[in-house]
């Protein structure tokens, strides 16, 4: 019984790693969860004798998850051709950044993902330019350091072919710019927030690179620019126009995909999550996710802030009643 329990716990312990792999392959929390769930379903569907023969259940689960993700990527390319406007990966809240207490299933899932350079929006967007096979080879090898012999099991190709796929994918990744210190990125985002709140177009233009690009994802469910907006002098007035059309919008500084970002709340609900790429102290890229289906992991943040505000107002009312 003890050995069986240890085996079950060991298999369950692979879930975090599998979610990390799937999110980088798919860019979608819901699809990642589905892929991992399917991999576990296939494991438990195996006869007990077959499971006992598998030397490394973790490697088996990774291989199956990779194959499922490969299939999903193939069908996703077709779906995204019909997607309204630009498609962006799901934005990730920082660990615990979706609020306190019991989170949603997707929020708890987001907490399992290690947030490093391989989950920044800039990196995930580059991954979207790769073919499914390139993406699987590149992510498994360059990010997770799986050998090409194991990747070959996922793709059903030779290790040499997988190595070529990874090399082809690598050429799609732009040369890494000089690293930007975290405090510089945070300061740039904070100043954008202040200028946006003050509707200061001149300040925004100064903070944005002249060649900056803003991409928005509304999924056809909410209003969003259908095409990228290029140039700081065009982005700045667009941002101010958004502020004019959405009175009462509250902007918060929060970690998004491991980097400083902004979250917009209206009436206590998260309606927009924005992530930024900064170079030489200026914003060069802005990715704005407004599709409500992609903001589910952030829902608890609005609820937590609403509860905190309610508690603060209650305390203030108590103080007022206590005044003689």
């Amino acid at each position: 019984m003890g050995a069986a329990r240890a085996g079950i716990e060991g298999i369950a312990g692979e879930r975090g790693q599998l979610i990390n792999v799937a999110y980088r392959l798919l860019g979608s929390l819901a699809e990642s969860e589905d892929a991992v769930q399917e991999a576990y379903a296939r494991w438990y569907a195996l006869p007990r004798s077959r499971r006992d023969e598998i030397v490394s259940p973790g490697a088996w689960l990774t291989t199956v998850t990779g194959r499922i993700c490969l299939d999903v990527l193939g069908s996703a390319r077709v779906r995204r051709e019909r997607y309204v406007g630009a498609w962006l990966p799901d934005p990730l809240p920082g660990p615990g950044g979706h609020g306190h207490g019991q989170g949603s299933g997707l929020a708890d899932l987001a907490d399992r993902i290690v947030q490093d350079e391989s989950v920044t929006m800039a990196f995930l967007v580059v991954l979207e330019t790769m073919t499914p096979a390139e993406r699987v080879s590149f992510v498994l090898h360059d990010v997770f350091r799986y050998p090409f012999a194991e990747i070959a099991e996922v793709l059903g190709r030779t290790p040499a072919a997988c190595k070529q796929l990874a090399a082809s994918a690598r050429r799609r990744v732009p040369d890494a710019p000089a690293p930007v210190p975290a405090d510089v990125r945070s300061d740039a985002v904070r100043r954008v927030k202040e200028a946006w709140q003050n509707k200061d177009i001149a300040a925004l233009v100064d903070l944005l690179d002249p060649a900056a690009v803003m991409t928005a994802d509304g999924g056809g469910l909410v209003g969003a620019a259908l095409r990228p907006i290029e140039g700081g002098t065009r982005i700045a007035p667009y941002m101010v126009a958004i502020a004019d059309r959405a009175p009462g919008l509250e902007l918060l500084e929060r970690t998004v995909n491991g980097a400083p970002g902004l979250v917009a709340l209206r009436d206590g609900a998260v309606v927009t999550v924005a992530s930024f790429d900064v170079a030489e102290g200026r914003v060069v890229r802005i990715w704005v996710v407004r599709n409500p289906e992609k903001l589910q992991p952030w829902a608890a943040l609005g609820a937590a802030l609403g509860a905190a505000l309610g508690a603060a107002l209650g305390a203030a009312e108590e103080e007022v009643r206590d005044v003689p």
Side-chain angles (χ1 to χ4, degrees):
M1 180 68 74
R5 178 175 294 278
I8 292 172
E9 291 176 352
I11 288 295
E14 299 290 338
R15 180 175 172 79
Q17 172 72 355
L18 297 176
I19 288 295
N20 273 276
V21 169
Y23 175 74
R24 287 161 176 82
L25 289 178
L26 301 176
S28 163
L29 281 171
E31 289 180 345
S32 298
E33 182 178 38
D34 289 345
V36 172
Q37 289 286 81
E38 175 62 20
Y40 274 105
R42 294 184 188 183
W43 168 263
Y44 287 112
L46 292 174
R48 178 62 182 272
S49 58
R50 175 70 183 101
R51 276 185 266 155
D52 291 341
E53 292 172 356
I54 297 174
V55 176
S56 175
W60 187 94
L61 285 166
T62 300
T63 298
V64 173
T65 299
R67 289 174 180 166
I68 294 168
C69 289
L70 184 65
D71 291 340
V72 173
L73 285 170
S75 61
R77 292 173 76 89
V78 176
R79 292 199 310 274
R80 289 170 194 173
E81 289 176 359
R82 300 193 297 266
Y83 196 81
V84 178
W87 186 95
L88 291 175
D90 291 4
L92 285 179
H98 43 73
H100 302 287
Q102 187 70 27
S104 70
L106 291 181
D108 294 336
L109 199 69
D111 279 345
R112 290 175 175 264
I113 297 176
V114 176
Q115 300 202 15
D116 55 23
E117 289 301 314
S118 66
V119 297
T120 62
M121 194 63 73
F123 189 77
L124 293 174
V125 168
V126 170
L127 293 180
E128 286 293 313
T129 67
M130 302 174 184
T131 68
E134 285 176 340
R135 186 166 182 169
V136 171
S137 293
F138 177 77
V139 168
L140 290 182
H141 182 267
D142 285 43
V143 177
F144 291 99
R145 302 302 177 188
Y146 285 98
F148 286 115
E150 293 184 17
I151 298 171
E153 292 291 322
V154 176
L155 295 178
R157 307 191 188 196
T158 65
C162 294
K163 186 175 182 179
Q164 287 296 320
L165 285 167
S168 175
R170 211 171 290 125
R171 288 192 289 271
R172 298 175 186 264
V173 181
D175 294 334
V180 179
D183 60 335
V184 173
R185 289 186 292 179
S186 297
D187 182 63
V189 172
R190 184 174 300 112
R191 288 189 292 156
V192 166
K193 171 179 174 279
E194 292 170 353
W196 196 355
Q197 288 176 321
N198 294 330
K199 302 179 183 179
D200 190 335
I201 292 179
L204 283 170
V205 169
D206 188 55
L207 292 167
L208 297 168
D209 187 270
V213 178
M214 171 188 277
T215 304
D217 178 348
L221 301 176
V222 294
L226 296 180
R227 295 179 179 82
I229 301 172
E230 301 179 357
T233 56
R234 295 185 63 202
I235 295 172
Y238 178 80
M239 293 175 68
V240 170
I242 291 173
D244 285 336
R245 290 197 298 267
L249 207 63
E250 181 182 5
L251 294 177
L252 304 175
E253 295 174 48
R254 288 292 185 274
T255 298
V256 182
N257 287 74
L262 293 177
V263 175
L265 290 89
R266 191 172 189 183
D267 298 327
V270 174
V271 294
T272 302
V273 174
S275 51
F276 300 81
D277 196 13
V278 177
E280 298 181 356
R282 303 181 92 177
V283 173
V284 294
R285 290 297 304 259
I286 307 175
W287 296 278
V288 179
V289 178
R290 301 202 65 236
N291 184 339
E293 294 179 350
K294 298 185 178 186
L295 299 181
Q296 293 180 35
W298 299 82
L301 173 62
L305 290 172
L309 177 60
L313 290 174
E317 289 174 357
E318 289 292 334
E319 290 182 6
V320 170
R321 280 197 291 268
D322 289 342
V323 174

